[in-house]
Amino acid sequence: MTVFLPAMLYLSSLLWRPLFHAAIIAQVAYVLSRGIALGRLPLVGLHDTLTFLSLATAVFSLPFQRSFKAQRWFLKSAALLAAVFAILGALASPSSSPLPPVLKTYWFEVHVVLSFFSYALFGIGAILGAVYLLSPDPDTEALQYKAILTGYLIFSLSMVFGGIWAFLAWGTYWLWTPKELWTTLLWLTYTLYLHLRFRPWWTGRRIVMTGIAGYFVVLFTYLGVGLLMKSSHSF
Amino acid sequence: MYSILKSIRTTNFLLAALMGLLVYGAVAMPLSPSFRSLSSTALFDWMKTAPLTASWWLYGCVAVLFLLAVNTVLCSIESVLRKRKGRQWLLTTSPQVIHAGFCFILVAHLLSSYGSFHKHAVLYEGYGARMESGVRVHLKEVKSRVESGHVTDMKATVVYTYPDGSTKEATVSPNNPAFVDGTGLYLKRVTTDPVPAALVLFSYDPGALPALIGGVLFITGILTLVVLKLQDKDRPPADTA
């Protein structure tokens, strides 16, 4: 029941806004309790990573909850996205087995935490893009750009930390696995987004849709590769 | 030709082409057994022996990355020359720092693709192996801890013997390799049954340091850009990467 509480609160916040903050508090409490029980950051397996992604999406939506034209749609979409991840996380069985020695390092923890922070910001970027399509407004597009640019910084930082960890664990900063290729693809997608934005032809709907498309690459890199392909990463 | 190579339109085209090749590679790689040895072989050595039907997209990636590197350098030079008298020098230089970081990362991959090696070996307690540099490595002791059927900790003590007879002792564990002459010794697995032994990896990657420098430059540049852009409400001017 505890595990479903944040999801229910996120969904209820679609009707009564203050419950969004209650959902965040409930989810923080759940993540903390998991961390205390496991004696480590709960960031291994679908259950914990989806829960963390839900929480990160909700928290990173907070700075963007300010006055712009279609703010109402943004708030509802952010709550819905956080709820979807929270429900999927609650449905997945938690992994409580001890960590293999190679994962017992701060490099791993920082790499994973930053990855999910960036995924959350890319999600916020996609929501802002969808909101722009519903109600075109240059401010919304500018907010999408800021969310994606910040996500890109954090994602790049996560890749650098991942490279350092890989060098210390596997003797090389780069491994030829589908996950690494998809991670590079994800990085290239947003690199392309940032460069396309310089071209006048790509203003408005086109650039906004590129930002939305990037999030599908995020979802495939995170969930698709882990579920469909053998890789150095479980998730 | 120069105007094409320095254009941001070319950057976008090359990025899209690279993405297309990587999508193909990411799908093809798990399906072909040829790629199984790729992570243990330097890329260019692997490409020499792999069938072209499996490796063609990697040749494509190398070609596109070469053009992208040229494009990046020319674009940066052009941008600095155009904006050198402007007042917002941080806004002008931070993308160029990002580009410099990107170029370092490309150089790193080039070096790794030429000269890296990764070789696994099983060392038995009391016995050793000889490294290419002539240094002998001898496994002195292995230890492991098992909880609920899972190995939760392990370490090995090794002794290096140099050609001049001097010795050095080191302890290796996961995420804690030992280095001699740039070659890392990585502990992958240990066993005590039937005899104490360790599966180790000898790894040399000449691209690691340039990759780290590139990463630091990239992050420095983009962090500066993010700070500047978060305060900025304007769209970037057209064609000025």
Side-chain angles (χ1 to χ4, degrees), chain B residues 25-192:
Chain B
V27 174
M29 225 169 66
L31 302 175
S32 169
S34 309
F35 290 98
R36 282 185 198 146
S37 58
L38 183 51
S39 274
S40 56
T41 316
L43 177 67
F44 292 149
D45 289 340
W46 182 88
M47 284 165 73
K48 276 183 215 159
T49 55
L52 200 60
T53 46
S55 63
W56 68 268
W57 63 276
L58 284 165
Y59 284 98
C61 287
V62 172
V64 172
L65 284 169
F66 171 75
L67 291 173
L68 202 53
V70 173
N71 172 258
T72 303
V73 171
L74 294 181
C75 221
S76 281
I77 293 171
E78 201 52 37
S79 177
V80 170
L81 287 177
R82 202 186 314 146
K83 296 187 222 163
R84 66 187 185 281
K85 285 178 185 164
R87 286 185 182 176
Q88 289 182 301
W89 70 273
L90 261 181
L91 203 55
T92 307
T93 51
S94 55
Q96 315 328 322
V97 175
I98 298 171
H99 289 169
F102 173 68
C103 289
F104 262 96
I105 291 167
L106 288 185
V107 168
H109 276 280
L110 200 61
L111 291 172
S112 299
S113 301
Y114 262 120
S116 64
F117 72 80
H118 312 282
K119 286 189 179 116
H120 284 91
V122 176
L123 299 180
Y124 294 97
E125 204 172 88
Y127 295 87
R130 190 184 168 90
M131 293 164 62
E132 282 183 20
S133 59
V135 177
R136 280 193 64 81
V137 58
H138 168 99
L139 181 64
K140 190 177 171 189
E141 186 184 30
V142 294
K143 281 183 183 169
S144 67
R145 192 168 67 209
V146 179
E147 284 172 33
S148 322
H150 298 272
V151 176
T152 56
D153 199 12
M154 58 182 173
K155 62 180 172 185
T157 306
V158 292
V159 179
Y160 288 104
T161 307
Y162 294 89
D164 65 1
S166 61
T167 60
K168 184 182 107 175
E169 194 171 292
T171 301
V172 289
S173 56
N175 299 307
N176 184 25
F179 290 91
V180 165
D181 298 333
T183 300
L185 173 69
Y186 295 78
L187 183 65
K188 307 300 286 182
R189 207 177 294 171
V190 298
T191 181
T192 51

Side-chain angles (χ1 to χ4, degrees), chain A residues 59-93:
Chain A
V59 171
F60 277 112
S61 74
L62 295 175
F64 294 90
Q65 295 185 7
R66 54 179 150 143
S67 179
F68 60 97
K69 215 169 155 186
Q71 192 204 21
R72 191 167 57 96
W73 289 108
F74 172 75
L75 299 176
K76 287 189 187 302
S77 306
L80 198 60
L81 190 62
V84 168
F85 289 136
I87 290 167
L88 292 175
L91 292 173
S93 52

